[in-house]
mmCIF file of all heavy atoms in Angstrom:
data_model
loop_
_atom_site.group_PDB
_atom_site.id
_atom_site.type_symbol
_atom_site.label_atom_id
_atom_site.label_comp_id
_atom_site.label_asym_id
_atom_site.label_seq_id
_atom_site.Cartn_x
_atom_site.Cartn_y
_atom_site.Cartn_z
ATOM 1 N N SER H 236 1.762 -19.493 -12.943
ATOM 2 C CA SER H 236 2.488 -20.748 -13.468
ATOM 3 C C SER H 236 4.012 -20.342 -13.691
ATOM 4 O O SER H 236 4.801 -21.052 -13.210
ATOM 5 C CB SER H 236 1.885 -21.189 -14.696
ATOM 6 O OG SER H 236 1.994 -20.367 -15.770
ATOM 7 N N LYS H 237 4.243 -19.266 -14.267
ATOM 8 C CA LYS H 237 5.710 -18.927 -14.530
ATOM 9 C C LYS H 237 6.072 -17.876 -13.485
ATOM 10 O O LYS H 237 6.408 -16.731 -13.687
ATOM 11 C CB LYS H 237 5.858 -18.327 -15.900
ATOM 12 C CG LYS H 237 5.546 -19.335 -16.949
ATOM 13 C CD LYS H 237 5.774 -18.781 -18.415
ATOM 14 C CE LYS H 237 5.347 -19.830 -19.406
ATOM 15 N NZ LYS H 237 5.616 -19.349 -20.821
ATOM 16 N N GLN H 238 6.108 -18.341 -12.250
ATOM 17 C CA GLN H 238 6.337 -17.527 -11.037
ATOM 18 C C GLN H 238 7.548 -16.848 -10.988
ATOM 19 O O GLN H 238 7.856 -15.910 -10.269
ATOM 20 C CB GLN H 238 5.934 -18.298 -9.699
ATOM 21 C CG GLN H 238 5.848 -17.475 -8.516
ATOM 22 C CD GLN H 238 5.355 -18.240 -7.352
ATOM 23 O OE1 GLN H 238 4.217 -18.589 -7.308
ATOM 24 N NE2 GLN H 238 6.222 -18.618 -6.374
ATOM 25 N N ARG H 239 8.645 -17.515 -11.754
ATOM 26 C CA ARG H 239 9.980 -17.025 -11.655
ATOM 27 C C ARG H 239 9.980 -15.507 -12.055
ATOM 28 O O ARG H 239 10.837 -14.718 -11.596
ATOM 29 C CB ARG H 239 10.890 -17.829 -12.377
ATOM 30 C CG ARG H 239 10.597 -17.949 -13.970
ATOM 31 C CD ARG H 239 11.392 -19.132 -14.570
ATOM 32 N NE ARG H 239 11.189 -19.172 -15.961
ATOM 33 C CZ ARG H 239 10.212 -19.941 -16.565
ATOM 34 N NH1 ARG H 239 9.250 -20.520 -15.730
ATOM 35 N NH2 ARG H 239 10.052 -20.125 -17.839
ATOM 36 N N TYR H 240 9.181 -15.083 -12.960
ATOM 37 C CA TYR H 240 9.169 -13.824 -13.475
ATOM 38 C C TYR H 240 8.594 -12.754 -12.453
ATOM 39 O O TYR H 240 8.948 -11.593 -12.387
ATOM 40 C CB TYR H 240 8.406 -13.637 -14.736
ATOM 41 C CG TYR H 240 9.030 -14.387 -15.889
ATOM 42 C CD1 TYR H 240 8.551 -15.668 -16.360
ATOM 43 C CD2 TYR H 240 10.214 -13.872 -16.557
ATOM 44 C CE1 TYR H 240 9.222 -16.310 -17.312
ATOM 45 C CE2 TYR H 240 10.801 -14.540 -17.588
ATOM 46 C CZ TYR H 240 10.267 -15.792 -17.905
ATOM 47 O OH TYR H 240 10.908 -16.528 -18.962
ATOM 48 N N VAL H 241 7.708 -13.257 -11.559
ATOM 49 C CA VAL H 241 7.175 -12.376 -10.422
ATOM 50 C C VAL H 241 8.260 -12.398 -9.400
ATOM 51 O O VAL H 241 8.642 -11.264 -8.882
ATOM 52 C CB VAL H 241 6.006 -12.991 -9.944
ATOM 53 C CG1 VAL H 241 5.500 -12.075 -8.801
ATOM 54 C CG2 VAL H 241 4.839 -13.178 -10.892
ATOM 55 N N ALA H 242 8.906 -13.455 -9.063
ATOM 56 C CA ALA H 242 9.923 -13.592 -8.018
ATOM 57 C C ALA H 242 11.133 -12.623 -8.414
ATOM 58 O O ALA H 242 11.784 -12.038 -7.649
ATOM 59 C CB ALA H 242 10.413 -14.893 -7.813
ATOM 60 N N ALA H 243 11.546 -12.606 -9.746
ATOM 61 C CA ALA H 243 12.602 -11.824 -10.160
ATOM 62 C C ALA H 243 12.374 -10.336 -9.898
ATOM 63 O O ALA H 243 13.318 -9.666 -9.496
ATOM 64 C CB ALA H 243 12.850 -12.083 -11.697
ATOM 65 N N GLN H 244 11.146 -9.777 -10.007
ATOM 66 C CA GLN H 244 10.894 -8.487 -9.851
ATOM 67 C C GLN H 244 10.977 -8.202 -8.344
ATOM 68 O O GLN H 244 11.533 -7.180 -7.895
ATOM 69 C CB GLN H 244 9.529 -8.137 -10.380
ATOM 70 C CG GLN H 244 9.292 -8.254 -11.790
ATOM 71 C CD GLN H 244 7.938 -7.883 -12.226
ATOM 72 O OE1 GLN H 244 7.468 -6.741 -12.045
ATOM 73 N NE2 GLN H 244 7.173 -8.921 -12.739
ATOM 74 N N LEU H 245 10.482 -9.072 -7.480
ATOM 75 C CA LEU H 245 10.417 -8.857 -6.050
ATOM 76 C C LEU H 245 11.863 -8.983 -5.480
ATOM 77 O O LEU H 245 12.298 -8.144 -4.604
ATOM 78 C CB LEU H 245 9.580 -9.855 -5.280
ATOM 79 C CG LEU H 245 8.119 -9.783 -5.681
ATOM 80 C CD1 LEU H 245 7.375 -11.033 -5.143
ATOM 81 C CD2 LEU H 245 7.498 -8.471 -5.055
ATOM 82 N N LEU H 246 12.746 -9.811 -6.110
ATOM 83 C CA LEU H 246 14.116 -9.920 -5.712
ATOM 84 C C LEU H 246 14.871 -8.621 -6.106
ATOM 85 O O LEU H 246 15.679 -8.145 -5.236
ATOM 86 C CB LEU H 246 14.763 -11.125 -6.430
ATOM 87 C CG LEU H 246 14.631 -12.407 -5.842
ATOM 88 C CD1 LEU H 246 15.093 -13.522 -6.745
ATOM 89 C CD2 LEU H 246 15.467 -12.408 -4.462
ATOM 90 N N ALA H 247 14.563 -8.023 -7.231
ATOM 91 C CA ALA H 247 15.199 -6.763 -7.724
ATOM 92 C C ALA H 247 14.864 -5.646 -6.716
ATOM 93 O O ALA H 247 15.717 -4.764 -6.408
ATOM 94 C CB ALA H 247 14.706 -6.319 -9.120
ATOM 95 N N LEU H 248 13.608 -5.648 -6.142
ATOM 96 C CA LEU H 248 13.291 -4.649 -5.123
ATOM 97 C C LEU H 248 13.913 -4.944 -3.764
ATOM 98 O O LEU H 248 14.296 -3.929 -3.148
ATOM 99 C CB LEU H 248 11.742 -4.509 -5.011
ATOM 100 C CG LEU H 248 10.898 -4.123 -6.201
ATOM 101 C CD1 LEU H 248 9.405 -4.206 -5.874
ATOM 102 C CD2 LEU H 248 11.299 -2.643 -6.466
ATOM 103 N N LEU H 249 13.969 -6.161 -3.259
ATOM 104 C CA LEU H 249 14.269 -6.367 -1.900
ATOM 105 C C LEU H 249 15.726 -6.786 -1.758
ATOM 106 O O LEU H 249 16.286 -6.530 -0.577
ATOM 107 C CB LEU H 249 13.412 -7.586 -1.412
ATOM 108 C CG LEU H 249 12.009 -7.326 -1.217
ATOM 109 C CD1 LEU H 249 11.257 -8.722 -0.944
ATOM 110 C CD2 LEU H 249 11.675 -6.400 -0.010
ATOM 111 N N GLY H 250 16.462 -7.142 -2.764
ATOM 112 C CA GLY H 250 17.812 -7.699 -2.555
ATOM 113 C C GLY H 250 18.840 -6.569 -2.513
ATOM 114 O O GLY H 250 18.664 -5.409 -2.853
ATOM 115 N N GLY H 251 20.011 -6.856 -1.975
ATOM 116 C CA GLY H 251 21.189 -6.137 -2.004
ATOM 117 C C GLY H 251 21.294 -5.211 -0.711
ATOM 118 O O GLY H 251 20.319 -5.036 0.055
#
Side-chain angles (χ1 to χ4, degrees):
S236 61
K237 297 182 181 180
Q238 190 169 288
R239 60 192 182 276
Y240 294 101
V241 182
Q244 296 181 67
L245 296 170
L246 275 169
L248 290 175
L249 290 169

